Amino acid sequence: MAKGKIIKVSGPLVIAEGMREANMFDVVRVGDKKLIGEIIEMHGDRASIQVYEETAGLGRGDIVVSTGAPLSVELGPGLITNIYDGIQRPLVKLREIAGPNITRGLDEPALDRETVWHFEACVKPGDTVVPGDIIGTVRETEVVLHKIMVPPGEGGTVKHIESGDYKVTDTVCTLETESGERSLSLMQKWPVRRARPYVRKHAPSELMITGQRTIDSLFPIAKGGTACIPGPFGSGKTVVQHQLAKWSDVDIVVYIGCGERGNEMTDVLTEFPRLQDPKSGHSLMKRTVLIANTSDMPVAAREASIYTGITIAEYYRDMGYSVAVIGDSTSRWAEALREMSGRLEEMPGEEGYPAYLTSRLAQFYERAGVVTCVGSDERIGTLTAIGAVSPPGGDLSEPVTQATLRIVKVFWGLDSALAYRRHFPAINWLNSYSLYNERLAPWFAEQVAADWSSSVGEIMRLLSLEAELQEIVRLVGVDALSPEDRLILEAAQSIREDYLQQDAFDISDSYTSLEKQYALMKLVLSYYHKCRKTLSAGASIEKLAAMPVRERIGRAKAVPEDRFKEAYAEIEAQLDREIDAIITENKESPAI
């Protein structure tokens, strides 16, 4: 065990000498309070240490002791419903010990050592198991069945296993291996900076349904995909991420508040336990792990929180589950990288960020994917990574946003102008994109409707035409447009306000099933198609724009899921009646 002495303290960076026996990324204990740190650079016997707690009071000569192990997380029953800080300390437990203000040097195990879990064995003595095989299950919550797996690198013949009640540290299975007996418990450890193994990775081909119309229809994300949500302050990044966490059709959600403002993290911590999961009817927390790393915590801990979250997500992916990891915000993680890089006196890159910024971001997003899990039963697991980016002043040309866009496949660009007009989600449809559209087209055709992609294409065409026509309107006014162009403006307005705009606080509008999305899309397009046909027969654009049915189309999105088919059929029938009335009126009083 390496033991050294501090020779320099610079904020979260501590430099210690006498650490020749330590290794890169070893966890160390710093000073009398045994603060948690990690070695990030070695020069001979001199180690540069990133300390994850406040370093005030440390000085030259204080002792640094290496644990000899890399920063790792505990993986086992008890993760779900828990709230951790960036280095996987259970915050609820720390509050019981230290009160509302967590003192330095506290170190509680991530998984409760006293909780008893009922273990149901899936294998029997004499069976041969390999890494990743499921040896038993634990009912972790009403929603999640926790699968106890043989840790990577282990395997052999089962010598003893028995169903029963165990604590996470108790031996539940004994394996006979070539190197002797090996005891397995309900818990395993894994270093956070190393991706967990898998057999092979597949191209994503199934939609991650979010219930958000702008996302699902225009800019979809596949299960196992990657996405980023850049946008300026106040444009609704956090609300969009909360909606994704609440409504996405995944089995597990890992929400990482990375350098998040305290009040916004408080909203998550208080709101999620109260929310009902639409799939199970239980609290949303029954399938959620929260990692709370707030702005007032040490900057260095932001890096640990990102790695802790993605490692927990990989663990549940290895069980064959669909997992979504949501990071808010990777910009604040990049700020931590910039600060540490500056204190290490490294050559800065653009805007002071380290030259390795892109590779660090890629290491995070590349751990997403659809994989065949390790094990003999051919499980398929998915991990979807979604990161918010907070560019200063909304400048999307800054390094973190640009580095992220080179890595991810979906870009949901938030627009402050839309947010100020109270259009939420404020995803700008003119500069956002999804590279999964083509790959998901067969899935939409099979699962929803054969003409889904063509309908979405028409919506995007009308929105693009509207943007071009708005330039003309600003110059010469709307009266200079032809009736056909004015109809395009009316139809695009209906698409924006009646389809894309969504109220997160309206129980009927907060989530929209794909079936309802398709019906609403066809209803809005039906208004355009029928009006265009009527317009070519000589009808007045003013009368078509002023039809009373338009108000019902505008309110159609608020119709509950169990009644929308009948309601939309009535609106369609009313649209036909009003169109027929205009045609009849036009025939009876032809233009002179």
Side-chain angles (χ1 to χ4, degrees):
M1 184 179 291
K3 182 181 287 190
K5 290 186 178 181
I6 294 176
I7 59 172
K8 179 182 176 182
V9 179
S10 175
L13 175 67
V14 168
I15 297 178
E17 62 182 6
M19 303 289 289
R20 189 175 296 277
E21 295 179 19
N23 297 310
M24 276 285 286
F25 301 123
D26 274 4
V27 172
V28 297
R29 297 292 180 171
V30 182
D32 295 336
K33 292 187 178 293
K34 294 183 168 49
L35 306 183
I36 298 173
E38 183 183 23
I39 297 175
I40 56 173
E41 201 173 81
M42 291 288 294
H43 293 288
D45 73 335
R46 186 170 291 188
S48 297
I49 298 161
Q50 182 170 251
V51 181
Y52 292 131
E53 299 183 76
E54 180 58 54
T55 58
L58 289 179
R60 289 175 62 90
D62 285 352
I63 300 298
V64 175
V65 180
S66 170
T67 62
L71 184 65
S72 302
V73 288
E74 293 184 351
L75 303 169
L79 289 170
I80 301 292
T81 74
N82 225 321
I83 303 166
Y84 295 107
D85 71 353
I87 45 180
Q88 213 202 6
R89 295 183 302 183
L91 292 178
V92 175
K93 195 77 174 175
L94 295 189
R95 186 180 62 184
E96 292 173 1
I97 297 169
N101 298 311
I102 298 170
T103 53
R104 296 186 297 164
L106 285 178
D107 187 23
E108 275 293 306
L111 299 177
D112 194 307
R113 299 297 193 257
E114 300 305 315
T115 303
V116 175
W117 302 94
H118 182 70
F119 172 76
E120 284 289 339
C122 294
V123 294
K124 58 186 185 301
D127 288 350
T128 300
V129 292
V130 298
D133 276 358
I134 297 167
I135 59 170
T137 59
V138 167
R139 176 55 67 182
E140 187 170 7
T141 69
E142 294 90 335
V143 181
V144 178
L145 184 67
H146 195 108
K147 300 169 185 177
I148 307 301
M149 299 173 288
V150 178
E154 304 289 347
T157 304
V158 178
K159 184 178 181 183
H160 177 266
I161 189 169
E162 189 176 345
S163 300
D165 295 333
Y166 299 93
K167 297 176 182 177
V168 289
T169 52
D170 293 341
T171 298
V172 297
C173 176
T174 306
L175 295 183
E176 194 74 58
T177 68
E178 293 178 358
S179 55
E181 284 192 4
R182 175 78 170 90
S183 298
L184 303 183
S185 66
L186 298 180
M187 180 184 79
Q188 56 178 274
K189 285 192 172 186
W190 189 260
V192 297
R193 290 181 181 271
R194 201 165 92 222
R196 284 178 66 86
Y198 53 83
V199 176
R200 71 181 65 88
K201 189 172 275 191
H202 309 276
S205 59
E206 181 184 348
L207 176 73
M208 187 180 88
I209 304 168
T210 67
Q212 312 308 299
R213 294 187 291 272
T214 307
I215 293 173
D216 287 348
S217 53
L218 303 189
F219 313 111
I221 180 170
K223 285 184 178 178
T226 53
C228 74
I229 315 174
F233 175 78
S235 58
K237 288 188 299 296
T238 303
V239 173
V240 171
Q241 290 198 308
H242 288 192
Q243 287 293 93
L244 294 173
K246 293 175 197 174
W247 300 111
S248 297
D249 71 327
V250 292
D251 302 308
I252 311 287
V253 173
V254 180
Y255 188 96
I256 310 167
C258 177
E260 189 60 11
R261 288 182 289 276
N263 289 345
E264 291 187 355
M265 202 66 228
T266 302
D267 284 345
V268 176
L269 300 181
T270 55
E271 188 180 353
F272 274 39
R274 294 201 309 264
L275 287 170
Q276 189 180 70
D277 183 356
K279 291 201 300 183
S280 66
H282 294 284
S283 165
L284 194 67
M285 283 298 292
K286 299 294 185 182
R287 63 179 180 98
T288 304
V289 183
L290 292 179
I291 296 174
N293 171 253
T294 54
S295 300
D296 64 341
M297 292 179 176
V299 169
R302 297 176 188 178
E303 185 172 11
S305 67
I306 288 287
Y307 288 117
T308 296
I310 197 77
T311 306
I312 291 172
E314 284 180 328
Y315 175 63
Y316 282 100
R317 175 209 68 189
D318 290 347
M319 297 180 196
Y321 288 128
S322 292
V323 187
V325 59
I326 298 174
D328 188 8
S329 119
T330 54
S331 289
R332 298 189 182 108
W333 170 32
E335 288 168 7
L337 294 177
R338 178 166 61 182
E339 174 166 341
M340 293 307 300
S341 177
R343 293 185 185 278
L344 288 166
E345 299 176 3
E346 295 173 337
M347 184 68 73
E350 189 180 353
E351 292 189 22
Y353 288 101
Y356 48 78
L357 172 66
T358 303
S359 65
R360 287 289 177 86
L361 289 169
Q363 285 170 13
F364 169 71
Y365 285 108
E366 285 173 5
R367 289 170 76 168
V370 181
V371 303
T372 299
C373 306
V374 173
S376 54
D377 60 343
E378 291 286 315
R379 301 184 298 278
I380 299 292
T382 69
L383 198 167
T384 309
I386 301 165
V389 184
S390 309
D395 177 17
L396 299 185
S397 65
E398 59 89 41
V400 181
T401 307
Q402 289 302 308
T404 305
L405 290 181
R406 287 197 287 271
I407 299 162
V408 301
K409 296 290 185 69
V410 180
F411 167 59
W412 297 317
L414 298 181
D415 191 332
S416 57
L418 287 174
Y420 293 148
R421 296 207 303 262
R422 296 294 183 265
H423 180 110
F424 291 104
I427 296 173
N428 188 315
W429 47 85
L430 297 176
N431 62 15
S432 299
Y433 61 81
S434 170
L435 300 182
Y436 294 115
N437 266 319
E438 190 174 336
R439 180 169 290 280
L440 290 172
W443 187 92
F444 279 115
E446 182 182 338
Q447 301 290 332
V448 189
D451 63 340
W452 173 279
S453 295
S454 60
S455 299
V456 169
E458 186 167 16
I459 279 179
M460 289 300 294
R461 183 181 67 85
L462 289 170
L463 291 172
S464 299
L465 287 172
E466 182 202 30
E468 296 171 12
L469 293 172
Q470 288 291 3
E471 294 292 327
I472 300 171
V473 170
R474 277 191 283 270
L475 290 172
V476 295
V478 72
D479 293 333
L481 297 179
S482 67
E484 290 78 8
D485 286 344
R486 288 178 64 184
L487 178 60
I488 288 173
L489 290 182
E490 295 291 338
Q493 181 185 357
S494 182
I495 290 168
R496 286 189 285 105
E497 297 178 1
D498 306 339
Y499 185 75
L500 298 183
Q501 200 166 342
Q502 202 161 348
D503 186 351
F505 300 101
D506 183 330
I507 193 167
S508 298
D509 195 29
S510 183
Y511 173 89
T512 309
S513 66
L514 290 179
E515 191 179 10
K516 184 180 173 184
Q517 287 185 46
Y518 175 71
L520 184 56
M521 191 191 309
K522 297 301 285 185
L523 186 62
V524 171
L525 288 174
S526 179
Y527 165 77
Y528 170 66
H529 292 150
K530 290 176 179 177
C531 286
R532 190 175 64 173
K533 192 173 180 182
T534 310
L535 199 62
S536 63
S540 160
I541 182 61
E542 286 79 8
K543 288 180 181 177
L544 292 172
M547 288 192 296
V549 73
R550 293 199 66 190
E551 184 179 347
R552 290 197 67 188
I553 294 174
R555 296 177 183 276
K557 59 188 177 184
V559 176
E561 289 278 345
D562 58 347
R563 297 210 311 270
F564 79 86
K565 289 183 181 177
E566 300 81 3
Y568 287 10
E570 288 176 20
I571 296 171
E572 188 81 43
Q574 183 179 342
L575 175 62
D576 289 338
R577 288 196 301 271
E578 292 184 12
I579 290 282
D580 290 342
I582 290 174
I583 293 172
T584 303
E585 185 181 344
N586 193 51
K587 286 179 180 177
E588 291 175 352
S589 53
I592 298 172

